[in-house]
Amino acid sequence: MIRSDIAFQKCISPACGATYEVGEALVACPRCGDLLDVAYDWNRARPPSSLEGFQQMWSQRHDPLRLSGVWRFLELLPFAKPSEVVTVGEGQTLLQQADLVAAYVGLQPGRLFLQYEGMNPSGSFKDNGMTAAFTHARQIGATRAACASTGNTSASLAMYCSVTRLMKGVIFIGSGKISYGKLSQALDFGALTVQIAGDFDDAMARVKEVSRDLGIYLVNSVNPFRLEGQKTIMYRVLEALRWEVPDWIVVPGGNLGNSSAFGKAFAELVELGLIRTAPRLAVINAAGADTLSELVQRRGVRWNGGAVDETPIAAYYQSLDQEQRKASTIASAIEINRPVNLRKCLRALEFCNGVVRHVTDQEILDAKAKVGAGGMGCEPASAASVAGARLLCDQGVIARGDRVVCILTGHQLKDPTATVAYHTTDQEQFNKTLGNRGVRRASFANRAVAVSNNLDEIVKAIRLYS
Ligand code: F0G
């Protein structure tokens, strides 16, 4: 088994705190069942004394480890040696100032930034984590990898399998729950795709059993190495802001991997003295998949130094079962009722003085249209961050002059069905295409103009509408 004198795995429960070698493939603490972190002995790891050095690495981008927006920061996730890293050039993403969207959100010009993770090779932020999971899988010699997915994790896993040829991929998806853009990626890349008669929560429960029984490497975000890669999204945000910490990071919440990784990134940067304070974190659920907001906002669940009161959580899950309530939102990527990283997210919320909100499908689609009109576009789940920022501005939690970064987690073309339905169809057809989701108006629809095949008519239409 591979050992490291720098990195180890550690149970997140302060009451347990058991540690394990990096060479073990674990998705929960064998002693108490809680989630695991990748932890480091920073005295041995010798982290940088300042953050500025990282941006100079871009000038060495002929080296694949410098080209990658994840492995440029290897010193802050030092569980692997450079020779062990598996990279396809992920993490070359942009932070853009977005003044049009800022006006919609209610922020002053120059105060809203969008972090476009859709620019990753498979079109979502997942590649940040997958490169780290593949690196660990290679370290331990895994030959097969599996995930349950609402679409993006599976696209990313399938892509890393086909590009690197290191492992065979097995993908579990809920039936009818995945957008065509994402499904097409998994099929095209050649992964074994298993469609379960159920939703993501069912698929997640099954893939855990199957990977345990068959010894398949699990790459869902219960894998602590994956979250190490996702920390780098925050390093790149800070880098783009010239190492100034913003006031807010706003992120959609599904399985809660990102929010957990962001919290860990900031906790470590503070511990290492590389930043003074963390930004505040806002995690945004969809109203139809709002477990985190229900538990935190309504039932008062907190990390509480690791002593989480599990009673309201168990009661809530029991009520979901009794009422057979399934997650339901147009933002299919975050259509999740049982987030596997709940405890780590609670820890991140505590560290970052975070808040949780939920937004409706109507708010998500309107925000998505504004993001699209403002520039680069995103998929519905990603727009939850912008809709959430707007809600928090409205509530006076975020001030008009605050510096806010919304994470756009996935590319616009991941889910064109929702976009086209919003812009072109009438209410009846919208409901037929996407189900009746309480979306009553396409406030910012850009409708196609129907015109007969006649030069005069076409010219008239252009004059009228332009
Ligand atoms: N945004 C997008 C586009 C996603 O694909 C996901 C998760 C999230 C947000 C939520 O992120 O889980 O870190 O809270 N997609 C997973 C998948 C579940 O299977 O692709 P999270």
Side-chain angles (χ1 to χ4, degrees):
M1 177 184 304
I2 65 145
R3 289 168 209 283
S4 160
D5 54 359
I6 293 171
F8 53 97
Q9 302 186 68
K10 186 170 194 282
C11 176
I12 69 163
S13 164
C16 174
T19 60
Y20 306 93
E21 296 286 347
V22 268
E24 293 196 61
L26 298 168
V27 294
C29 175
R31 195 200 286 175
C32 77
D34 209 337
L35 296 166
L36 296 169
D37 272 333
V38 180
Y40 304 102
D41 180 344
W42 291 113
N43 292 323
R44 287 171 188 261
R46 275 193 260 118
S49 55
S50 86
L51 286 164
E52 276 76 12
F54 286 114
Q55 68 211 50
Q56 282 154 23
M57 294 192 192
W58 182 236
S59 63
Q60 302 158 25
R61 59 188 173 276
H62 52 272
D63 174 351
L65 265 72
R66 300 291 192 243
L67 180 71
S68 167
V70 172
W71 298 106
R72 249 181 323 129
F73 299 97
L74 177 60
E75 287 151 288
L76 295 172
L77 50 151
F79 69 85
K81 298 191 198 79
S83 59
E84 293 167 332
V85 164
V86 179
T87 173
V88 304
E90 57 289 312
Q92 296 175 51
T93 58
L94 276 183
L95 184 83
Q96 282 232 329
Q97 183 179 318
D99 287 352
L100 267 177
V101 187
Y104 176 68
V105 165
L107 289 167
Q108 288 165 359
R111 306 312 283 176
L112 179 70
F113 298 83
L114 302 176
Q115 174 69 12
Y116 277 103
E117 288 300 312
M119 292 172 70
N120 273 291
S122 82
S124 86
F125 74 91
K126 301 286 179 180
D127 298 346
N128 292 286
M130 205 54 70
T131 182
F134 264 63
T135 296
H136 181 245
R138 181 196 206 170
Q139 286 180 303
I140 65 166
T143 56
R144 284 184 299 178
C147 72
S149 184
T150 54
N152 281 325
T153 304
S154 52
S156 184
L157 168 61
M159 187 196 71
Y160 274 84
C161 285
S162 62
V163 175
T164 67
R165 303 272 144 201
L166 284 171
M167 292 195 282
K168 287 242 178 317
V170 186
I171 284 159
F172 286 63
I173 55 175
S175 52
K177 292 291 184 181
I178 171 171
S179 74
Y180 267 20
K182 301 172 191 178
L183 180 59
S184 64
Q185 290 180 286
L187 298 177
D188 229 16
F189 291 134
L192 171 61
T193 305
V194 183
Q195 209 160 3
I196 307 239
D199 64 5
F200 173 83
D201 294 313
D202 300 319
M204 185 71 229
R206 288 292 174 214
V207 78
K208 275 188 180 171
E209 293 169 353
V210 170
S211 55
R212 191 188 53 223
D213 290 354
L214 300 182
I216 303 179
Y217 188 83
L218 189 61
V219 298
N220 279 102
S221 50
V222 276
N223 178 329
F225 293 92
R226 223 191 81 183
L227 297 190
E228 290 304 288
Q230 287 171 217
K231 291 190 307 191
T232 64
I233 301 171
M234 290 301 101
Y235 305 151
R236 297 196 299 274
V237 164
L238 293 184
E239 185 180 51
L241 295 174
R242 296 176 177 259
W243 310 111
E244 274 180 31
V245 178
D247 298 300
W248 287 93
I249 300 289
V250 190
V251 62
N255 234 352
L256 306 180
N258 259 343
S259 42
S260 299
F262 298 173
K264 185 169 189 282
F266 291 121
E268 288 171 350
L269 290 181
V270 169
E271 183 194 340
L272 294 171
L274 293 168
I275 59 173
R276 258 184 300 141
T277 52
R280 294 190 71 185
L281 184 64
V283 185
I284 313 298
N285 276 161
D290 63 343
T291 295
L292 183 71
S293 102
E294 171 70 27
L295 292 177
V296 172
Q297 270 195 289
R298 300 217 20 229
R299 304 191 184 208
V301 174
R302 296 288 181 273
W303 172 244
N304 199 17
V308 177
D309 181 359
E310 298 286 341
T311 319
I313 302 174
Y316 179 64
Y317 285 156
Q318 204 180 354
S319 72
L320 287 182
D321 287 341
Q322 267 162 5
E323 295 159 30
Q324 295 188 352
R325 199 140 40 91
K326 297 287 184 186
S328 173
T329 166
I330 203 154
S332 59
I334 53 173
E335 194 173 55
I336 296 171
N337 262 351
R338 291 171 189 268
V340 295
N341 285 300
L342 175 63
R343 284 172 55 82
K344 279 188 177 175
C345 178
L346 293 172
R347 184 178 66 172
L349 288 168
E350 181 170 288
F351 185 79
C352 296
N353 188 16
V355 298
V356 182
R357 292 291 185 275
H358 61 262
V359 290
T360 63
D361 282 2
Q362 176 80 58
E363 290 164 330
I364 287 173
L365 286 186
D366 285 343
K368 190 180 102 59
K370 282 290 179 187
V371 171
M376 293 177 85
C378 64
E379 66 166 284
S382 312
S385 61
V386 173
R390 185 168 193 255
L391 177 66
L392 288 163
C393 274
D394 230 33
Q395 295 174 340
V397 179
I398 294 180
R400 274 179 57 71
D402 281 354
R403 215 169 186 210
V404 179
V405 177
C406 290
I407 313 301
L408 297 186
T409 44
H411 198 281
Q412 185 181 32
L413 298 178
K414 287 279 192 175
D415 189 358
T417 315
T419 308
V420 174
Y422 181 88
H423 284 297
T424 65
T425 57
D426 60 22
Q427 187 66 51
E428 200 182 317
Q429 243 199 322
F430 183 94
N431 291 346
K432 225 186 271 169
T433 316
L434 297 165
N436 188 353
R437 301 180 171 279
V439 178
R440 308 241 169 276
R441 56 200 146 65
S443 318
F444 310 112
N446 177 26
R447 300 212 183 281
V449 178
V451 60
S452 56
N453 185 12
N454 170 290
L455 185 59
D456 289 344
E457 291 293 317
I458 295 168
V459 169
K460 213 159 89 189
I462 291 173
R463 288 220 170 101
L464 186 64
Y465 288 105
S466 61

